[in-house]
Amino acid sequence: MTRVTFLSIAVSAALLLYILEMVRRRRLREEYSILWLFGSLVILVLSLKQGWLISIALAVGIVYPPSFLFLVGILFILLILIHFSIAISKLHQMNKKMAQEIAMMKNRQGQKTDE
């Protein structure tokens, strides 16, 4: 087992355990942990199954198979960033709508006190 293989197994296993612990402690919601868990599990499986890693890397055209692990990691991080961007956009819209509704309620309340 090479150092790169050992490092990728250790890091992906540590990430998997860390994410599970954060979900258990309620510091990370389940809906946000799914992509993290899936990504670390894929990297862990590919690190353990060297034959699969080599076959997929060569099929994609990557000569050095551990580089494919980094590519997979980067792609999962991009998916997570897109997921968070969608969640932030949704929260922004909800916040804007709530602020408008509060302003309208205050305006109506101010009109009632003037009468």
Side-chain angles (χ1 to χ4, degrees):
M1 184 180 321
T2 65
R3 276 190 281 172
V4 173
T5 303
F6 179 73
L7 182 66
S8 63
I9 290 170
V11 168
S12 59
L15 179 63
L16 186 66
L17 293 173
Y18 179 72
I19 296 299
L20 289 172
E21 182 63 20
M22 290 296 105
V23 170
R24 187 185 73 79
R25 289 184 180 187
R26 304 271 183 223
R27 299 196 68 178
L28 180 64
R29 293 181 54 169
E30 292 87 1
E31 64 190 77
Y32 299 124
S33 69
I34 292 171
L35 282 173
W36 284 110
L37 291 171
F38 187 67
S40 60
L41 193 62
V42 166
I43 292 174
L44 181 62
V45 168
L46 288 176
S47 298
L48 291 170
K49 299 286 189 175
Q50 291 290 306
W52 294 2
L53 176 64
I54 293 168
S55 299
I56 296 171
L58 292 176
V60 174
I62 297 174
V63 180
Y64 185 59
S67 295
F68 183 70
L69 289 176
F70 291 111
L71 177 64
V72 169
I74 289 169
L75 290 176
F76 274 108
I77 289 172
L78 285 174
L79 284 174
I80 290 166
L81 287 172
I82 290 169
H83 178 73
F84 285 152
S85 295
I86 291 168
I88 288 170
S89 297
K90 190 177 179 183
L91 288 172
H92 176 73
Q93 289 298 326
M94 290 170 56
N95 199 13
K96 181 178 172 182
K97 184 178 178 183
M98 217 175 358
Q100 290 171 345
E101 288 175 0
I102 290 171
M104 288 174 23
M105 287 172 53
K106 283 183 177 181
N107 188 22
R108 276 188 237 131
Q109 196 174 33
Q111 288 175 353
K112 288 182 183 177
T113 57
D114 291 341
E115 293 175 2

